[in-house]
Amino acid sequence: MSRPRAALAGRVIFRGIALISLLAACQAPAPGAPVGGGPARTARASQDAQAAPPPSLVTEAERTGFQRTGRYAEVERLCAGFEQAYPGRARCVRFGATPEGRPMLAIAASDDGALDPAAARAKRRPVILFQGGIHAGEIDGKDGGFWALRELLDGAMAPGALAATTALFVPVFNVDGHERFRRNQRPNQRGPEEMGFRTTGQNLNLNRDYMKAEAPEMRAMLALLDAWDPVVQVDLHTTDGAKFQHDVAVIVEPSAPHPGGLDAAARELSEALQARLSALGHLPLPFYPSFREDDDPASGISAKPGPPRYSQSYGAARNRVGVLVETHSWATHAARVRAVHDLLAALFERAAAGGAGALRAAADRADAAAARLAGAPFALTHRAGPVPRIFPFRGYAYEKRASEISGGTWTRYDESRPEIWRVPLFDRIEPDLTVTAPAAGYLVPAAHAAWVADKLRLHGVRCELLPAARTGLAVEAFRADAVAYEPSFEGRTPVTLKGAFRPERHDLPAGSLFVPIAQPRAPLVMHLLEPLAPDSLVAWGFFNAAFERKEYMEAYVAEEEARRMLAADPALRAEFEARLRDPAFAKDARARLDFFYQRHPSWDERVNLVPVFRVAASP
């Protein structure tokens, strides 16, 4: 076969193709096409359902009295089974594939056929997504979700809810982890007999991956979120920690002030869920029950919101309500599944009573307000205030003993002796890291445009390519004054910087990336591109090469150049002599030579320069 002519066409055509590819990467994927098929498929399913006997939708958990949970083959069977049993009201959706080749499945449910993103948008139908098995050993969400979905479709739970909303259920997010199936995966959890594993087949924790989006499973999930745009995103977990009586924690975000007052809608939903769960006989908590010091209730609990690497905070960064549900690991599997079922009942009851429409309106207000954030302060992180209130926490009697095993202290709980702990609760939230949104947006040089555009596209962020070079463009540039590398985490080397944005001028080649701040996903843009944000691309180590020196000046050369520089510049001599009054500097030969190298014309001015600029005007 002869060589393709395109291979000989030269750099002009190649660059044109590259720019077209980048432009495509900047556009968010069109969310209009149904993932699971259209009306013809629904009609065929209806005909097949009339001919075939109804499938059993009972789970392995129910058949065994919640002693066991099913394998992923059960999810595949039930996904198809729901579509067959409820033709025109339920649809099995395949939205991705795992690295080990398994299908990622969801079930959409609606009373009037709003079973794909386009139909839901056309009807202005709020979508409620609930997912199980992001940590596949914590599998209550799968079993409780199937139970709840069946009752929703039968009308036994929250009548009218599926006329007001479309439910989207992902039974197992971490599919490959689910099939790493064995006993004793979680020794701090009562049942089921066997379960999956916490992380994916690539050993990534999906509930740390929402922002960096490296796992194929997460990339598929983000596409699902972008297509369906759920107003509420519910993540169903099982918690770890001490032994206590509370059986479920429900954390609703945003809990801190958010554009458009979305936090008020989240707070209202949280209060309603807490009240309904209490009425159903549960002992719910509105915060994550983790003590500030392990096994020490007296140390208190901090209720500050987490960064957007976590599902509930990621939902808030998208201007949607995120709900983290944590059933308590020391309850039985049956009790935990019941808690999931009842939480979903409470949520869909509220949706049926008008709450879904209110959340849709709240999300729309948040989108509109976020698109006007330019020049306004925005809190990227929050901290718990220093003054707690005392919370009556339902625990058990416990004692601390000296341990001959660990040599430390051993906490022993006595579940036969319930008691009330007076726990300091630090839930008065204050802004911590606050930045001012840029007036126009962010610029990423062309060298990094392709992969940054890919990340932004996954998050539904709009970006544009500069068709021509810009010379001497006024920008704010961030130069790191200090760089600290952290231990490997989730397969990356995170970095913590000290520094600030300062006015500079830079040349930007054609193909550089402009990310406007005037868009609904502005909070997410700042979380991704502000260098000091804890889940930014910088913090996760994607730009670590920017902090590495690639050229050097040998010591003997630096000695010669330093003498020339001192002789030619009295101001430099005075500055050097002032620095010598610092004993640490005076004793550090390398620092003294670097003083001159960093002021020499050969110094690489890009060292410690973060390749993300802020701009006050659209380029």
Side-chain angles (χ1 to χ4, degrees), residues 156-520:
M157 174 189 287
L162 293 183
T165 67
T166 292
L168 187 63
F169 174 40
V170 178
V172 179
F173 184 2
N174 176 15
V175 179
D176 290 345
H178 184 277
E179 291 305 279
R180 188 178 170 184
F181 207 76
R182 65 173 186 170
R183 293 176 180 269
N184 304 318
Q185 298 274 36
R186 285 173 57 81
N188 52 341
Q189 179 175 303
R190 289 189 173 124
E193 290 177 359
E194 296 178 287
M195 62 199 73
F197 194 69
R198 181 177 182 85
T199 57
T200 70
Q202 297 176 337
N203 205 32
L204 293 174
N205 184 338
L206 292 174
N207 206 31
R208 305 296 183 270
D209 198 44
Y210 274 90
M211 293 293 281
K212 61 186 181 70
E214 291 191 291
E217 296 95 332
M218 182 57 72
R219 296 170 76 91
M221 175 59 73
L222 293 182
L224 188 77
L225 292 175
D226 196 60
W228 286 88
D229 190 24
V231 295
V232 181
Q233 176 183 340
V234 184
D235 193 10
L236 301 164
H237 288 247
T238 306
T239 194
D240 304 324
K243 291 183 177 179
F244 46 75
Q245 300 172 57
H246 296 281
D247 61 334
V248 61
V250 183
I251 300 92
V252 183
E253 296 293 351
S255 55
H258 193 87
L262 186 63
D263 52 300
R267 193 158 45 250
E268 186 178 346
L269 176 62
S270 176
E271 292 168 357
L273 295 177
Q274 293 289 314
R276 183 63 176 136
L277 285 170
S278 296
L280 290 171
H282 295 278
L283 296 174
L285 292 168
F287 51 81
Y288 190 90
S290 177
F291 302 124
R292 304 210 302 175
E293 297 178 13
D294 288 346
D295 281 342
D296 186 4
S299 67
I301 294 171
S302 174
K304 69 176 183 179
R309 70 186 64 173
Y310 301 113
S311 61
Q312 73 279 8
S313 297
Y314 180 77
R318 293 182 72 252
N319 301 327
R320 303 296 180 261
V321 172
V323 181
L324 171 65
V325 179
E326 294 274 1
T327 57
H328 188 41
S329 61
W330 290 110
T332 64
H333 185 49
R336 298 197 309 269
V337 171
R338 164 62 73 176
V340 168
H341 169 278
D342 290 354
L343 178 280
L344 293 172
L347 177 62
F348 280 99
E349 286 168 2
R350 184 166 179 81
L359 287 169
R360 174 75 267 172
D364 291 343
R365 290 193 300 271
D367 280 349
R372 300 190 299 268
L373 274 176
F378 183 79
L380 291 168
T381 65
H382 296 82
R383 61 176 177 264
V387 180
R389 62 186 176 96
I390 300 301
F391 184 86
F393 195 98
R394 292 178 177 269
Y396 295 108
Y398 67 94
E399 61 177 344
K400 292 183 178 291
R401 294 182 178 179
S403 170
E404 72 279 13
I405 302 297
S406 67
T409 301
W410 176 27
T411 302
R412 296 196 65 188
Y413 295 92
D414 184 349
E415 293 176 85
S416 69
R417 296 169 55 200
E419 60 183 31
I420 302 296
W421 299 338
R422 292 176 56 79
V423 172
L425 177 61
F426 297 83
D427 64 349
R428 294 176 175 86
I429 305 304
E430 304 171 350
D432 191 6
L433 172 62
T434 298
V435 299
T436 300
Y442 297 88
L443 273 173
V444 178
H448 296 277
W451 71 262
V452 173
D454 178 59
K455 293 290 184 188
L456 297 178
R457 177 188 58 80
L458 288 169
H459 295 288
V461 170
R462 180 168 55 86
C463 56
E464 307 165 9
L465 289 174
L466 299 188
R470 300 290 190 272
T471 302
L473 191 67
V475 302
E476 290 180 82
F478 189 103
R479 293 185 182 272
D481 300 322
V483 180
Y485 294 100
E486 299 173 20
S488 178
F489 179 59
E490 290 300 309
R492 301 206 62 83
T493 303
V495 64
T496 300
L497 305 182
K498 292 182 180 179
F501 279 102
R502 301 176 180 91
E504 295 186 9
R505 289 192 175 272
H506 283 266
D507 297 338
L508 276 297
S512 294
L513 196 66
F514 174 55
V515 187
I517 198 67
Q519 59 177 304

